[in-house]
Amino acid sequence: MSDLEAQTREMLQAVSDAADLAALEAVRIAVLGKKGTLTELMKGLGAMSVEERKIKGPVLNGARDQLTAAIAARAQALNATALNARLAQERIDVTLPARPEMRGAIHPVSQVIDEVIAIFGDMGFSVAEGPDIESDFYNFTALNIPPEHPARQMHDTFYFNEKPGGERLLLRTHTSPVQIRSMEKSGPPLRIIAPGRTYRCDSDMTHTPMFHQVEGLVIDETAHMGHLKGCLIEFCKAFFEVDNVRMRFRPSHFPFTEPSAEVDIGCRRRGGELRIGEGEDWLEILGCGMVHPKVLRHGGIDPDKYQGFAFGMGIDRLAMLKYGIPDLRDFFEADLRWLRHYGFAPLDIPSLPGGLSR
Ligand code: PHE
C-alpha cells in the first residue's frame, strides 16, 4: 500500500470517528483546510515532473473527492442524530391538561351568554342568529312598528346614510328582528333563543350604546302566557342558582306583543355594590308577551292556527346582577385589571350538570 493510500485511510477513519459536528469540522480543517494534510500534499504537485504529476494528480484528486464526500455524509448523519436527540428531549405530550398558569379569561358577557344557552338548551330551545346591521323592515315594520310610530323615536336608533333608492339601514335596536327571520326561515313550530349585540344611542351606569340581548321565541298551537311565565321563572332560578328569586311581572306595552309585560328582578344598590335577591330596588331585565298576530303574519305564519310568546332580555344586566358588577360602562373599557377580576376560567364551560358558574 502506498503512503498516500495509508494516509487517506487514516483521514477517512478520523472522519468516521468524529463524534459530533465540532469534531468533524476540526477533522475537515486538519485535512482540507489551508494547511491541511491533503492540501499540503496537493501543493507538492507543482514541484513535480510532468510524468510524476500525471500519476499523483488523479490519485490526490481522488483522495480529496473521497474525503469531501465522506465528510458530507458524516455531517448529515450527525445532524440527523442531533435532531432526533432534540426532538426526543423537547417532546410535548399534547394530551396533558392545560397548564394552570394560563392568563386569558372569559368576559362576563360571554360567560352569561354560555349560561343562558345552557339553561334554555336544556328546555329544548336552539340558538338562532341575525345580522347586527338590519333593514327597517325587520327591526320595525315587521314587528308592527310602522313608519311614524312613536316607538321608533323611543329606540334611539343609529341609522346609516340613505342609499340611492331611499332605503336606510340601521344597527338593530333589539334582537326581535331575529323573530321574523326565524319564522321566515324555519316556520312553526319554533323554540329558539337569539343572543347578540344590540345598539341604542344611550349611555349611563346601566346603558351603553352597544349592549347585548337574548331574544326568545316559542310558536306552536297552544303556547300561552302561563308557559311564558313558567319559562322565565324557571330560567331566573337556574340562572341565579337560587331556589327563589324576587321577580315582578309588570303589565307593559310593546307593539309586537299583546298582552305585554316587563320583568324586574329585586336587588339592592348601595355605594358601588349591587346585590341580587335583597333590598327594595328593582332592575328591569326583560320585556315579553304573546306574539302579536300581525307579527306572525309578517313572518308568514297563520295566526288563526299558531300562537306563541316572545321575550327579550338584557344580557349585560343579567351579568351585573349575578356577578355584582355596578357599572355597565366598565364592561367595554377593556381594562385588564377589571377583566382579571370579573373574568372566568376558559375551560370551565357552563352546563347544568357541571355547574353554571364556579
Ligand atoms: N324587544 C324588546 C326590547 O328591546 C323586548 C321584547 C322582546 C319585548 C320580545 C317583548 C317581546 O325592549
Side-chain angles (χ1 to χ4, degrees), residues 96-100 102 104-106 111 344-351 355 358:
L96 280 175
R99 295 164 64 168
M102 64 190 163
I106 300 294
Q111 168 75 18
F344 291 81
L347 294 171
D348 289 344
I349 294 161
S351 75
R358 270 174 285 177

Side-chain angles (χ1 to χ4, degrees), residues 32 38 42 59-69:
L32 297 170
L38 202 61
M42 292 186 96
V59 178
L60 280 170
N61 278 333
R64 191 193 51 199
D65 291 349
Q66 222 184 332
L67 277 157
T68 310

Side-chain angles (χ1 to χ4, degrees), residues 43-210:
K43 278 184 197 157
L45 282 174
M48 287 176 196
S49 68
V50 179
E51 251 68 287
E52 218 182 343
R53 203 184 304 152
K54 267 193 182 159
I55 301 165
K56 288 266 178 84
V59 178
L60 280 170
N61 278 333
R64 191 193 51 199
D65 291 349
Q66 222 184 332
L67 277 157
T68 310
I71 289 170
R74 183 71 188 143
Q76 206 176 21
L78 286 173
N79 270 324
T81 319
L83 180 64
N84 285 335
R86 197 167 151 199
L87 285 174
Q89 200 190 5
E90 294 179 3
R91 189 191 169 98
I92 329 170
D93 182 351
V94 292
T95 65
L96 280 175
R99 295 164 64 168
E101 64 269 31
M102 64 190 163
R103 299 287 289 281
I106 300 294
H107 193 283
V109 169
S110 305
Q111 168 75 18
V112 166
I113 290 177
D114 288 345
E115 293 181 20
V116 168
I117 291 174
I119 297 167
F120 282 108
D122 192 59
M123 294 191 218
F125 286 73
S126 49
V127 175
E129 275 181 327
D132 288 14
I133 297 175
E134 264 300 3
S135 69
D136 193 277
F137 175 77
Y138 284 108
N139 197 79
F140 292 126
T141 310
L143 291 162
N144 196 28
I145 314 176
E148 314 312 325
H149 192 289
R152 290 201 178 200
Q153 265 85 64
M154 280 163 50
H155 276 218
D156 308 305
T157 313
F158 288 112
Y159 284 99
F160 287 86
N161 293 335
E162 209 167 290
K163 291 207 270 189
E167 196 195 354
R168 232 172 13 148
L169 292 178
L170 47 84
L171 289 174
R172 65 178 179 190
T173 57
H174 50 181
T175 42
S176 300
V178 186
Q179 285 189 34
I180 308 294
R181 289 182 177 275
S182 302
M183 291 180 199
E184 286 180 344
K185 196 172 147 206
S186 322
L190 278 167
R191 198 185 288 185
I192 55 114
I193 54 165
R197 278 191 256 271
T198 45
Y199 307 83
R200 286 181 207 179
C201 189
D202 206 351
S203 184
D204 60 35
M205 255 181 96
T206 51
H207 296 87
T208 49
M210 189 281 294

Side-chain angles (χ1 to χ4, degrees), residues 248-276:
R248 178 167 83 172
F249 283 76
R250 269 185 295 111
S252 183
H253 173 77
F254 298 102
F256 34 95
T257 46
E258 181 59 37
S260 306
E262 279 177 310
V263 177
D264 304 329
I265 292 277
C267 67
R268 166 182 291 161
R269 258 207 212 95
R270 198 188 280 151
E273 236 197 345
L274 182 68
R275 284 180 167 277
I276 151 90

